[in-house]
Amino acid sequence: MSAINLAIVGVGKIVRDQHLPSIAANADFKLVATASRNGTVDGVTAYTSIDDMLDAEPSIDAVSLCMPPQYRYEAAYKALAAGKHVFLEKPPGATLSEVADLEDLATKQGATLFASWHSRYAPAVEATKAFLASAEIKSVHVIWKEDVRHWHPNQEWIWQAGGLGVFDPGINALSIVTHILPKAMFLVAGTLEFPENRDSPIAADLHFRNVDHLPVHAEFDWRQTGKQSWDIVAETAAGQMVLSEGGSKLSVNGELTFSAPEAEYPSLYRRFAELIKAGTSDVDLAPLRHVADAFMLGKRKFVEAFHD
Ligand code: NAP
């Protein structure tokens, strides 16, 4: 099979940090065009809108949509309608309904739709899933606390409705938890803290359980200075398991049992190529459903205004 002609829409931080090097290292893809109002990539034909790009470049086979989630649906719909395969950055959209509509369209068009969850491809996630599959789990505690000023400086979209606020990183934790736990969990109580000048939360405290009443407590906070935490701790009959550093390291009873170099985006592009070759899609909305549930069931608290 010849290389898949790929285009990127929304050239920004994650494209430069992760997509470009991962695409360059993957012989299944050839980057042939970009569509972005301002961003461009050296040596690649640039358009300022997806309409102009799709009109001018009929050889495009697939597009990666990397703009903020509030603006992704329209571009995804146009790309699928034109018969292109589509890679959605996380979160796959601003609402569940729009992503469901994209799934229907992808099926009708016989095109691949890939709702990517990069944290699921963190190095120690599969080893953790295997550990938990045979463990008696007593409780799970998710601690995802980071400094928004460091990680998202001046990203206005992230604070606007649909930008998800602290759920932008929090959904990464949820994408891991929903993958590694043997049984589905659901929200039973939660509190969301909204800065009085913002549409999206700066912190969330969530309590889930599953059919066996397993307690899963998730704490997301964007006000963390000093040490940052992206950890999932499970108390099990075999001892304490810690999946730390965003899924990079697995320790059991304080002993490091698995770690490997980070390769999330190379893995995502390998998966996208596999899906295209197999003629299938991969759209798991569980992480986004939990966020929607938090907005439905969570209590709202207003806290002091946030300024970058
Ligand atoms: P970003 O740099 O703020 O935005 C990406 C690009 O989207 C911008 O450079 C901009 O390009 C375009 N864009 C911004 N506002 C737009 C609008 N109103 N309409 C159309 N296009 C718009 O964001 P990012 O950090 O790369 O994140 C993009 C997505 O990737 C998000 O869903 C995020 O959750 C996900 N992600 C980010 C990271 C990270 O570390 N940053 C990690 C993993 C996943 P133009 O001005 O050129 O149009």
Side-chain angles (χ1 to χ4, degrees), residues 112-292:
T112 290
L113 181 63
F114 180 30
S116 70
W117 298 110
H118 65 88
S119 292
R120 281 190 180 169
Y121 295 83
V125 168
E126 289 307 318
T128 304
K129 185 179 171 90
F131 174 82
L132 290 177
S134 57
E136 188 194 326
I137 313 169
K138 296 177 184 301
S139 66
V140 178
H141 188 191
V142 181
I143 309 122
W144 230 252
K145 297 186 177 185
E146 61 177 48
D147 182 354
V148 65
R149 287 191 174 89
H150 178 81
W151 299 103
H152 299 282
N154 303 310
Q155 272 186 327
E156 276 304 307
W157 62 264
I158 217 160
W159 290 106
Q160 291 161 359
L164 297 192
V166 76
F167 288 108
D168 178 78
I171 204 168
N172 297 335
L174 293 170
S175 75
I176 296 176
V177 174
T178 50
H179 183 68
I180 62 177
L181 286 185
K183 291 188 183 175
M185 64 178 194
F186 46 88
L187 191 70
V188 289
T191 304
L192 310 185
E193 294 184 41
F194 289 77
E196 60 189 15
N197 61 339
R198 302 287 182 168
D199 295 331
S200 293
I202 195 164
D205 189 80
L206 306 170
H207 292 271
F208 302 85
R209 70 171 170 82
N210 69 10
V211 66
D212 301 325
H213 297 269
L214 173 75
V216 179
H217 178 203
E219 292 179 85
F220 303 151
D221 204 320
W222 250 351
R223 297 164 297 197
Q224 179 88 351
T225 52
K227 189 181 179 304
Q228 309 284 285
S229 304
W230 299 284
D231 300 332
I232 299 171
V233 180
E235 301 300 335
T236 79
Q240 187 184 65
M241 180 223 86
V242 182
L243 177 62
S244 60
E245 298 177 24
S248 296
K249 292 182 176 163
L250 172 65
S251 305
V252 178
N253 290 322
E255 252 181 60
L256 184 66
T257 58
F258 189 92
S259 77
E262 191 278 307
E264 295 176 11
Y265 278 77
S267 304
L268 286 179
Y269 275 97
R270 268 199 301 281
R271 175 77 176 141
F272 190 35
E274 272 169 25
L275 292 168
I276 292 171
K277 286 177 195 168
T280 53
S281 289
D282 178 353
V283 184
D284 178 8
L285 293 183
L288 191 61
R289 277 203 307 270
H290 286 306
V291 173

Side-chain angles (χ1 to χ4, degrees), residues 9-15 17 35-40 66-69 71-72 89-91 118 151-152 155 157-158 168 172 265:
V9 185
V11 177
K13 183 174 188 313
I14 194 59
V15 167
D17 289 357
S36 210
R37 298 163 312 168
N38 305 289
T40 58
C66 305
M67 70 285 272
Y71 314 105
R72 208 170 283 136
E89 249 301 349
K90 51 73 43 171
H118 65 88
W151 299 103
H152 299 282
Q155 272 186 327
W157 62 264
I158 217 160
D168 178 78
N172 297 335
Y265 278 77

